[in-house]
Amino acid sequence: MGGCTLLIINIAILSASYIGITRSHPQCTDFYPPFEDVNLQFCSEYREFGCCVSDRDAALENLGQTILGNFPDDVKEECEHFLKDILCQECSPYAAHQFNMEGRSKLDWSDFPGLCTQYCLDFHGKCAQLIPYITNNRALLNASAVSGQAFCTAQQIDDVDYCFPSVLLDENFNDEVREGQIGSGDDCLCLEEFANNLRNPLALSHANDSTHRLYIMEQTGVVNVFFRNGSYLEDPFLNIEDLVYVSGRRGDERGLLGLAFHPIYAENRKFYVHYTTREGGVLHVRISELTSFSNDTNRADPETERILIQTEEPAGNHNGGSIFFAPDGFLYISLGDGGNAGDPFGEYGNGLNLTTFLGKILRIDVDRRDGLLPYAIPPDNPFVHDDPYMYFHEIFAYGVRNMWRCSVDRGDGETGEGAGRIFCGDVGQNKFEEIDIVVNGGNYGWRAKEGYSCYDRDLCNDEFLGDNYVDPIHVYPHSDGKSVTGGYVYRGCMYPHLQGLYIYGDFWNGRLFKLEESEGEWENKEICLGTKDICTGDLWNYFPENILSFGEDEAGELYMMVTDLASSTHSGGKIFKFVDPNKRGNPEECHVEPIPVPVFGSILPFQPSTEDYKTTTESENSWEEVKTTSTSKSNNIHNTPSLCLTLLTASIALIPFLSNLLEKLVITSSVLSLQSLSTAQSDVRQTSLR
């Protein structure tokens, strides 16, 4: 029992420390982070970091004037500052805590902010007559009629650390506010569920037509129209399941793989798809153009399909799948190396063979035609002036293994810096995953190189690499992940701390990463998810492990597509929107007004996953992580007697109970001690269970 005893002692120590290093977290009453609004006049103390837009600030000022208008001048003079303080707590960066919203049902939320006892007694003693104008809470009104002490006890919030005005004086809280303002905190993110019950969602696209519709593509061959609130049309936008070839086998890389809308879709209604199909027993990759109906742009007309490119696929894997337009107006297409392993086709593989489309990024002009081709070749494609039998003119870049998810950087909203850069995640073979910036004529090395290293030493030389070789901007080994999923550079308005970060992930283990550029160098960091007390309300702090894809809406906000089982017949796919709980952009400045769209047919509302699902999934994930962590630290756990495992499980279950008990003891001994101890409770919870 020695090892078991040691484990239980460690758990006991952990439970004691559980309440010892908690952190505060700014949060508004909508459970989203505070923001900056320099136009606040009434609650001006919250201009730099708060929860009110200027319209709400003006409304609070008008409310205050209306309330004071019911009283004589002496009451106004005595109570004006109290009333302003109380009304402006709605604008406080800690508003959600001050109105007792965290961890409670909506029925239990308060409409009166938590005041510290002495301040509350002073307020009640001088201005109790204002209370009926501030709150409709019957319990508070009844308590106010009894005495100041009764009222101040009744209005006390669960976490007294957040009571006003002490919350303004707490240095730990002030540090959190400063970190939120400048982005110097832990930078953990939260997730907001947008869609669920999907069959391997592989793309989320928009038509850039100011309608802000989202088109979500499932691997089976179906595309559905979603609206900004998560509601969606019952009838699909597109259904080509009869053309798409894919099985229900887990990990099948075939299917409907890519979707892109023409830059002027609002005028010509054209869009493009990338899918695998089977003809005469032969697998092909097909790129096609289709058009939506003129009288209903929420439905595509399958009869308008115009095949642009079709090429034989020698194996079922490595089909690429990205298809997108860049600012030059041309259509870009990623094709994998043909499949199997090690690009075994020909003397030096498909990737370096310039007489095949496989293992390439292609670029074509879909608005013109060259001769018998259903498209034209852009005049600055790298091989456009070379012998077409030796160099295919459609090739834009080569030496590609299987670029799974590419995106185009919108560029900095003010300077335009970075605009037009093409980022792709190229899935590795045995050792490395890589992120590339794709350029005109670039050679990305496969199969001569994998990441920065030589894969085929016979090809790893100037003859096959030469001056056109382009190094990845980042490579990670298979100890960190085994299948990269390319992402996006964040250029949205809502989360200023994410600006310019390239966010991507790994399909195999569900890890999220960000790349940040500084003077031409890229630094990679893993993205953490916040603890449950930070990702509250409708926000999530975990997700099903397999990261299928990423997407970007018309406003530039980012989404992630995931599943718990990567099968096209499994409806466990979900889509999450990224949320930075530390700071957001001003909601008034970030507001968009979609152009109305005529809708024919039924609109179905978004149904969030049940709390039972969330709780079950999270507890299972957490326990799996505890087991994995424990196993990596001690091989003896495999041989631990069942009694020890029982005690260990019970000890883990006791952590919250012990923490609550200790917290009450600390409250009894010293409120100041409680303030410092509660500051990092969430961090230890994350460490112990993740």
Side-chain angles (χ1 to χ4, degrees), residues 611-629:
E611 286 300 316
D612 288 343
Y613 171 86
K614 291 177 67 175
T615 303
T616 302
T617 305
E618 183 175 25
S619 62
E620 289 175 352
N621 289 347
S622 298
W623 175 235
E624 286 298 325
E625 288 166 6
V626 169
K627 289 195 293 186
T628 302
T629 303

Side-chain angles (χ1 to χ4, degrees), residues 267-286:
E267 299 176 21
N268 64 23
R269 309 187 317 280
K270 293 179 180 179
F271 66 97
Y272 302 83
V273 290
H274 182 313
Y275 65 93
T276 57
T277 189
R278 198 172 182 91
E279 290 185 348
V282 178
L283 184 69
H284 293 86
V285 173
R286 178 182 291 174

Side-chain angles (χ1 to χ4, degrees), residues 47-121:
R47 283 178 181 171
E48 294 184 357
F49 201 61
C51 293
C52 285
V53 296
S54 55
D55 283 353
R56 184 56 185 165
D57 177 67
L60 291 173
E61 183 176 19
N62 290 335
L63 176 60
Q65 292 173 351
T66 301
I67 292 173
L68 291 176
N70 293 287
F71 299 98
D73 290 344
D74 60 329
V75 174
K76 293 179 183 178
E77 184 175 350
E78 186 77 68
C79 299
E80 184 175 11
H81 73 282
F82 281 113
L83 181 61
K84 178 180 182 295
D85 285 345
I86 291 170
L87 293 180
C88 284
Q89 292 320 293
E90 183 180 327
C91 304
S92 163
Y94 291 106
H97 307 279
Q98 291 172 275
F99 286 89
N100 230 16
M101 299 173 69
E102 194 174 51
R104 285 172 166 244
S105 69
K106 290 184 178 181
L107 295 176
D108 295 327
W109 292 353
S110 175
D111 64 352
F112 191 90
L115 307 178
C116 299
T117 301
Q118 189 56 56
Y119 182 92
C120 179
L121 291 172

Side-chain angles (χ1 to χ4, degrees), residues 151-163:
F151 172 77
C152 292
T153 300
Q155 64 84 48
Q156 192 173 68
I157 54 178
D158 292 341
D159 192 338
V160 295
D161 289 349
Y162 292 101
C163 71

